[in-house]
Amino acid sequence: MLNLGIIGCGNIGRTIIRAIYEGKIDCKVIGVFDANKDGYNALSDEIKRQLKFFDDFDKFIKEDANLILEAASQQAVKEYAVNVLNHDKNLMLMSVGALVDKNLSDEIRRIAKTKNLKIYIPSGAVVGIDGVKAAMLGGIESVTLTTRKNPKGLGVTADNEKILFDGNTNEAVVKFPKNINVAATLSLAGIGFEKTKVKIIANPNVSENIHEIRIKGNFGEILTVARNLPSPDNPKTSYLASLAAMACLKRITSEIEIGT
Ligand SMILES: NC(=O)c1ccc[n+]([C@@H]2O[C@H](COP(=O)([O-])OP(=O)(O)OC[C@H]3O[C@@H](n4cnc5c(N)ncnc54)[C@H](O)[C@@H]3O)[C@@H](O)[C@H]2O)c1
């Protein structure tokens, strides 16, 4: 049985908790940890009766979970990821941008390997990660992520389409830290933070968060487009990101694995 602990009871955390209590994923939530109780309070009374809330990480991590899902912030990954693995628990990360920090990334991989634990990184708000992973084994020439968002979602104003950033993932982290999770996931699956190209475009005519991936290699070419609608209770988070985490949990608990 998968016993899940969740760090972060925000939009993604609550969407996953509700799905588990609706029976969509075969696992038990042993508790949720958050620095702020507002997200937990927004859950239904029925769920709250069954779900323990923790504001003390040391107590939370002693509970009987075998997988901890981080759905909080890059800061939370820095604060808790090593601690989670050191308590012999598998880890699933949503705030993937934190792994641009090579020291942290190397450290959690080292602990996971030594302890025979797993670090899961769901595809998140993007499609095509399966193709990137497969293409890597044959050889990839280039990977480009083009993200188009409404200027409001990027904190800028623009009357026409405007390229705000054109560089690689490492540089995007510095200039657009809040828009880095998708680029980080793509970089980890493929040719890395330095070689993965990233374009961030503000377009006043789009309402969705659109992520386009183009991969060229000796297999041919892949082009994927995800036109993401925002989550019902957090316009900054694409609904697909929560669904991808749920699908990742389903894959872990299922007897059959489909896709790479
Ligand atoms: N991988 C992807 O494609 C993808 C897509 C969307 C969002 N995300 C990331 O997932 C994370 C969660 O997203 P969300 O929409 O649920 O956010 P949210 O703001 O709705 O919720 C985050 C919750 O975590 C808590 N939290 C944050 N930092 C904490 C800390 N250091 N210690 C304890 N609690 C902490 C907050 O109090 C909040 O309740 C964010 O980092 C976001 O950038 C990833």
Side-chain angles (χ1 to χ4, degrees):
M1 180 71 172
L2 180 60
N3 284 340
L4 183 68
I6 300 180
I7 301 177
C9 199
N11 173 63
I12 294 179
R14 287 196 305 276
T15 306
I16 293 168
I17 289 166
R18 288 181 184 125
I20 293 170
Y21 280 94
E22 281 163 17
K24 289 184 181 158
I25 306 159
D26 187 18
C27 78
K28 190 177 168 220
V29 196
I30 58 88
V32 61
F33 163 73
D34 199 305
N36 180 323
K37 207 172 179 183
D38 292 353
Y40 175 83
N41 287 335
L43 289 164
S44 70
D45 289 341
E46 199 190 336
I47 292 180
K48 279 186 282 192
R49 265 195 298 277
Q50 302 168 69
L51 177 64
K52 277 199 237 173
F53 175 83
F54 294 85
D55 57 9
D56 181 335
F57 185 80
D58 293 336
K59 285 190 185 145
F60 165 75
I61 203 62
K62 285 188 188 123
E63 290 287 307
D64 188 24
N66 39 30
L67 173 67
I68 302 292
L69 163 67
E70 174 281 323
S73 62
Q74 293 182 32
Q75 182 56 33
V77 179
K78 287 179 188 153
E79 280 175 63
Y80 308 118
V82 166
N83 207 338
V84 165
L85 294 165
N86 278 335
H87 278 83
D88 297 312
K89 295 172 197 305
N90 299 296
L91 178 64
M92 189 181 291
L93 295 176
M94 292 308 293
S95 308
V96 197
L99 300 192
V100 174
D101 176 343
K102 194 171 177 311
N103 290 339
L104 177 64
S105 180
D106 288 349
E107 173 75 345
I108 61 170
R109 278 173 195 246
R110 189 191 58 74
I111 303 172
K113 194 167 181 185
T114 314
K115 290 182 166 265
N116 204 16
L117 295 165
K118 286 256 186 203
I119 300 163
Y120 298 96
I121 298 184
S123 306
V126 80
V127 283
I129 297 297
D130 53 348
V132 186
K133 281 170 24 189
M136 267 306 279
L137 299 172
I140 291 182
E141 225 173 84
S142 66
V143 179
T144 307
L145 167 71
T146 305
T147 296
R148 258 187 197 80
K149 290 187 180 179
N150 190 281
K152 277 187 216 148
L154 292 161
V156 297
T157 50
D159 294 334
N160 300 303
E161 180 157 290
K162 189 172 167 191
I163 299 176
L164 300 181
F165 176 81
D166 190 353
N168 66 22
T169 308
N170 275 335
E171 293 156 358
V173 170
V174 180
K175 295 200 171 142
F176 287 87
K178 289 186 185 150
N179 289 275
I180 199 63
N181 291 313
V182 165
T185 304
L186 185 61
S187 304
L188 287 166
I191 54 177
F193 295 97
E194 196 60 35
K195 288 191 193 144
T196 302
K197 294 177 197 144
V198 180
K199 270 190 195 169
I200 299 178
I201 299 174
N203 184 326
N205 301 316
V206 302
S207 51
E208 308 102 330
N209 291 341
I210 306 171
H211 298 295
E212 194 181 291
I213 292 178
R214 191 179 288 273
I215 307 147
K216 286 186 192 161
N218 51 13
F219 69 96
E221 192 170 349
I222 295 173
L223 177 65
T224 74
V225 183
R227 290 178 185 277
N228 286 310
L229 294 175
S231 292
D233 56 353
N234 183 347
K236 284 193 183 156
T237 298
S238 298
Y239 187 34
L240 188 67
S242 303
L243 298 176
M246 283 154 59
C248 192
L249 290 171
K250 256 190 116 64
R251 181 162 59 82
I252 296 169
T253 55
S254 175
E255 63 290 345
I256 176 166
E257 287 195 21
I258 302 165
T260 58

